[in-house]
Amino acid sequence: MTGTGTGTGAGTVRSALEETERRLVAAGIEEDTARADARLLVAHACGVGPDGLDGVSEASAPPVLEEYVRRREEREPAELIVGHAWFMGHRFDLAPGVFVPKPETQEIVEEAINRLSGLLSQGKISPLVVDLCAGPGTMAVTIARRVPDARVYGIELSQAAAEAARRNARGTAACIVQGDACEAFPEFEGCVDLVVTNPPYLPIGLRTSAPEVLKYDPPLALWAGEGGLAMIRAMERTASRLLAPGGVLLLEHGGYQLESVPRLFRGTGRWSSAESRATCNDGMLVAVRGPASSHGG
């Protein structure tokens, strides 16, 4: 136990939930995040999903909760403590060294679902989707669940993350492979309708106040050289190779890259349009592949 002299292992689940949230806020975690993390930790301790807490609210709080709260106070991500994350209503298994899904990625997935729905309504049969740098399968698996008529493939370099993604893809049609996103799927060259990617984009030396990211997210998923553009450049080349003319790339990047990323894309001559907009925490590029004559380079 840290800080207050009041533990979470006594009393009801309801009171433990309130005390957990209070302690996490006192540890410097933002209130909205503390509320969500408290529900995740208490639910896991009780052996239910976060939506099942109402049914056990008057039960006694499990003693193991105290250990979970102490670890979260030390800024270990709640998702790694419990071994899974919830994203758009579905559970994703995690493991040490696997990137923890972030809420801003939901905006890319929602955009992808809307665009795929539009393609299907226009008569497109089995649109082809590729997720580059797939992590634990957050985007690929969610898209496959929400748009079952799409063919969804993901590629991830990390063995631990690729294994987690394959577990998360069970029961869906998403196909996850381990490999280098820079060399992804040569068999799909010029045929893909939609590419989504959340590549590393932190510039070397960037100062961040999020110890959860610096201490627990894998460095492979974070750092991207001077200006944070190294992997974004690589994903531009890969996406331009994979996409059919008129195909769309949705790319997550930093909020500090709202000008530099679209400028990078426009400078290649391979894209009909490239515009970025702010998301809840970062940024998202929407780029449309130019005509076939602009392939290559």
Side-chain angles (χ1 to χ4, degrees):
M1 184 181 67
T2 62
T4 64
T6 303
T8 54
T12 66
V13 168
R14 185 192 305 278
S15 63
L17 187 62
E18 295 172 353
E19 174 64 7
T20 296
E21 181 180 341
R22 188 197 64 75
R23 284 176 59 177
L24 297 187
V25 170
I29 296 167
E30 291 186 3
E31 189 171 333
D32 288 347
T33 301
R35 183 177 301 110
D37 287 353
R39 292 186 64 82
L40 184 63
L41 296 175
V42 175
H44 186 66
C46 294
V48 300
D51 292 338
L53 282 171
D54 288 345
V56 296
S57 62
E58 299 308 319
S60 296
V64 71
L65 178 60
E66 176 60 25
E67 176 194 346
Y68 296 164
V69 176
R70 176 188 55 76
R71 289 167 64 183
R72 185 66 186 103
E73 286 177 315
E74 295 171 358
R75 306 305 288 269
E76 183 177 352
E79 295 87 352
L80 292 183
I81 294 169
V82 305
H84 61 265
W86 290 88
F87 183 84
M88 293 183 70
H90 292 280
R91 173 175 160 152
F92 285 81
D93 287 343
L94 302 175
V98 174
F99 185 78
V100 176
K102 305 297 190 288
E104 54 269 24
T105 303
Q106 179 170 334
E107 297 187 42
I108 289 186
V109 174
E110 289 171 343
E111 179 76 18
I113 291 168
N114 289 337
R115 287 181 176 270
L116 290 169
S117 298
L119 288 176
L120 290 167
S121 69
Q122 295 165 20
K124 179 72 178 183
I125 298 173
S126 300
L128 180 56
V129 182
V130 167
D131 180 3
L132 303 172
C133 308
T138 311
M139 290 199 284
V141 173
T142 304
I143 291 168
R145 284 190 176 118
R146 297 293 182 92
V147 190
D149 289 333
R151 293 172 293 153
V152 183
Y153 292 81
I155 187 166
E156 169 55 44
L157 184 59
S158 160
Q159 180 177 347
E163 289 175 354
R166 284 193 285 263
R167 290 194 300 271
N168 292 324
R170 290 172 186 162
T172 77
C175 175
I176 309 294
V177 301
Q178 183 185 0
D180 187 345
C182 298
E183 302 171 357
F185 305 117
E187 66 273 26
F188 296 152
E189 186 167 328
C191 299
V192 177
D193 297 292
L194 179 70
V195 171
V196 296
T197 182
N198 180 11
Y201 54 76
L202 293 186
I204 295 296
L206 178 73
R207 294 180 180 274
T208 174
S209 59
E212 292 87 349
V213 172
L214 288 180
K215 291 178 64 177
Y216 294 98
D217 275 335
L220 185 67
L222 298 179
W223 305 107
E226 200 73 29
L229 294 173
M231 272 301 289
I232 290 175
R233 287 192 184 94
M235 293 305 92
E236 184 278 324
R237 292 189 293 269
T238 301
S240 68
R241 170 174 59 81
L242 291 174
L243 285 167
V248 173
L249 167 66
L250 305 176
L251 178 145
E252 184 171 321
H253 60 74
Y256 43 85
Q257 296 169 320
L258 289 170
E259 295 183 2
S260 60
V261 169
R263 183 168 59 244
L264 183 161
F265 273 72
R266 293 175 195 140
T268 68
R270 290 190 279 261
W271 303 87
S272 297
S273 64
E275 302 291 340
S276 286
R277 66 174 184 257
T279 60
C280 61
N281 291 318
D282 285 304
M284 175 174 65
L285 174 85
V286 180
V288 178
R289 186 64 173 93
S293 60
S294 64
H295 278 271

